[in-house]
Amino acid sequence: MKRKISILGSTGSIGRQALEVIDKLKDKFEIVALTAGNNIDLLNEQIKIFKPKYAYASDINLIKGAKPLSLDEICSNKENDIILVAVSGKVGLRPTITAIKNGIDIALANKETLVMAGDIVMAMAKENGVNIIPVDSEHCAIHQCIKNISQVENLIITASGGPFLKKSVEEMKNATVEQALAHPKWNMGKKITVDSATLMNKGLEVIEAHHLFNKEYDKIKVVVHPQSIVHSAIEYVDGSVIAQLGLPSMHIPIQYAITYPERYEGIKSKSFSFSEIARLDFEEPDWNKFKALNLAYNAGKIGGSAPVCLNAANEEAVFEFLQGKIKLFDIINAVEYLMSKHELIKNPNIDEIFDIDKEIRLKTKEYLKLLPV
Ligand code: MG
């Protein structure tokens, strides 16, 4: 029987690669719906090739070849066996919740969903018997390593270090958008690539891991590993370490997540060779240069609305950076400032989370406007 899947964000980096995976596994999948934002031309091309029943885009009148539905209708449609949430940023949260409420499994590529509302989302998934399979390569690696979570001592998340690993603080401060987007190992969307340059991405991943695997923050370690071959590891209570290795390609974690618990050859292009790779390096992150990492750990440990504030300030500042309006370090300064002013709500509900998110974004814009150009 074919697995029925919808892809939220099919025109983005993860969405396009997911369709490449599905194209290789045509006999395994049937596409229920594809959704996009503004890239309607590409969406219509995808509709022609993959023939989903339904589609959504920011302007549904421009959709050709599939029945237009709202995001809410798509995510509550029980024809879906699984929904791949491949949108970027806070827009992932509401549709994910709708799908979970309807008992539909989630392949989650949107870490902001767990950063903003991890407690609520994970509790809801448990209540509704929904599997949340991580697509993020580090969490996918940990998911593959873990047999029994209660025997796990530490989660070890690897970080490539991004384009500024070997650069000075001064060089990083004055980095251009192009330099920040030139990731040495991973080809990803713009927002996540900037997050990888500041290591905020790793910070968000620590929070994501805390929720997915229910581990305390002091049991989640980050190690810099420039080759991006070890995608993450776990250390068991007896000191045994299990790591997942592979060539850096998002096709593999995407395929794992949408086919789990099965495994297929799918899009695999090349066999893994230890001798070709020859060496693997690891080092402690530079906590002074990459302040984002500490900010994220702190936000996670505080919990409640703190990660919502962290995420909103970061996302807003990254947009401004991408438009060339602020410097790279202003992103982290904005996050630090907004975090220091944040009035914590201990157990925010979903509406409160969205209210806080909105408020922090406005305040972030105000803060950034006052910066010298
Ligand atoms: Mg990742």
Side-chain angles (χ1 to χ4, degrees), residues 5-10 14-15 18 35 75 82-97 99-100 104-113 132-133 135-136 258:
I5 186 168
S6 288
I7 302 174
L8 309 187
S10 64
I14 298 284
T35 86
C75 293
I82 187 165
I83 294 182
L84 171 62
V85 182
V87 293
S88 160
K90 70 155 183 177
V91 293
L93 180 53
R94 271 205 210 276
T96 304
I97 287 176
I100 293 173
I104 300 163
D105 284 345
I106 303 287
L108 188 64
N110 176 274
K111 66 193 67 167
E112 291 87 348
T113 289
I132 297 191
I133 317 293
V135 173
D136 214 342
I258 64 175

Side-chain angles (χ1 to χ4, degrees), residues 111 136-138 205:
K111 66 193 67 167
D136 214 342
S137 60
E138 297 78 1
E205 286 178 354

Side-chain angles (χ1 to χ4, degrees), residues 111 135-139 158 186 188 192 196 201-202 205 208 250:
K111 66 193 67 167
V135 173
D136 214 342
S137 60
E138 297 78 1
H139 307 75
T158 52
W186 295 97
M188 307 173 288
I192 185 175
S196 299
N201 182 53
K202 213 45 57 180
E205 286 178 354
E208 183 185 11
M250 279 312 293

Side-chain angles (χ1 to χ4, degrees), residues 144-161:
Q144 294 181 65
C145 294
I146 287 181
K147 276 191 188 153
N148 182 345
I149 185 77
S150 70
Q151 297 170 343
V152 175
E153 179 70 18
N154 290 308
L155 305 179
I156 303 160
I157 298 179
T158 52
S160 71

Side-chain angles (χ1 to χ4, degrees), residues 132 134 138-157 208-215 219-220 232-237 240-244 256 260 263:
I132 297 191
E138 297 78 1
H139 307 75
C140 174
I142 292 170
H143 192 268
Q144 294 181 65
C145 294
I146 287 181
K147 276 191 188 153
N148 182 345
I149 185 77
S150 70
Q151 297 170 343
V152 175
E153 179 70 18
N154 290 308
L155 305 179
I156 303 160
I157 298 179
E208 183 185 11
H210 162 80
H211 291 295
L212 278 170
F213 305 111
N214 195 20
K215 272 279 159 211
K219 303 275 183 195
I220 305 173
S232 278
I234 58 173
E235 182 186 0
Y236 279 106
V237 287
S240 263
V241 174
I242 313 269
Q244 187 259 338
Y256 173 86
Y260 178 82
R263 275 190 198 262

